[in-house]
Amino acid sequence: MSNGRAWQGNVKARLYERVRERGYASLTAFADARPSVPLHLLAEELGKDDVAGVQVLSGLLAEAERRNQVTRFVRDVFTRLWTQSVPDGWPAVLDDTNRFKVAEALGSWIAYTPETHKERADKAGDALLATPPPPGWRPLGPDDELLRTLLPDEEV
């Protein structure tokens, strides 16, 4: 993104125009075709100079709210942030460096989680830390078995 161009003009129209140009009916469909790709890379694909990751995040949340799929959205965001911060999966040893990576992923995730789901996401993060998954685990999408266990699809 350069010189604030992502915030000029009709952001929503630009975002959905780019998604349709790529053959997708929704931003969710576009993102689902790229599971675990970080938000900033989705934004770059849609417009390196005029689309921001937070715009993609906002659009995905709006679609999830319309479809009553916010819990799935929360798992999807976890997957994307995890890939960005801990690309090699759950560390075999939680030394200072790896602890920071895990904390960065979990902290960003909680920050990007809608208020309606923050408590559930916080408990899911606590559960991951209390009972770590096997070394190398990383979710490949929002339907990952462990993530679905920690955050089932019941809407709150």
Side-chain angles (χ1 to χ4, degrees), residues 33-145:
R34 295 148 182 80
S36 77
V37 171
L39 294 163
H40 73 279
L41 294 178
L42 292 177
E44 278 186 25
E45 188 174 339
L46 291 171
K48 186 176 182 187
D49 294 326
D50 62 358
V51 176
V54 70
Q55 293 167 336
V56 173
L57 177 77
S58 178
L60 289 171
L61 175 57
E63 288 182 6
E65 289 172 337
R66 284 193 297 274
R67 293 181 173 134
N68 290 326
Q69 294 183 332
V70 177
T71 302
R72 185 179 190 281
F73 162 83
V74 171
R75 291 192 312 259
D76 182 64
V77 171
F78 176 91
T79 299
R80 295 174 192 287
L81 292 171
W82 190 262
T83 298
Q84 182 176 327
S85 297
V86 195
D88 296 327
W90 193 271
V93 176
L94 210 54
D95 59 13
D96 287 345
T97 300
N98 288 326
R99 190 180 325 277
F100 177 81
K101 291 176 184 179
V102 169
E104 178 182 44
L106 293 175
S108 298
W109 179 51
I110 297 298
Y112 289 166
T113 295
E115 281 301 319
T116 56
H117 287 64
K118 277 198 190 293
E119 185 176 339
R120 291 178 67 204
D122 192 40
K123 287 179 182 177
D126 290 347
L128 280 173
L129 292 171
T131 309
W137 171 82
R138 70 179 187 92
L140 300 178
D143 297 321
D144 175 83
E145 186 178 341

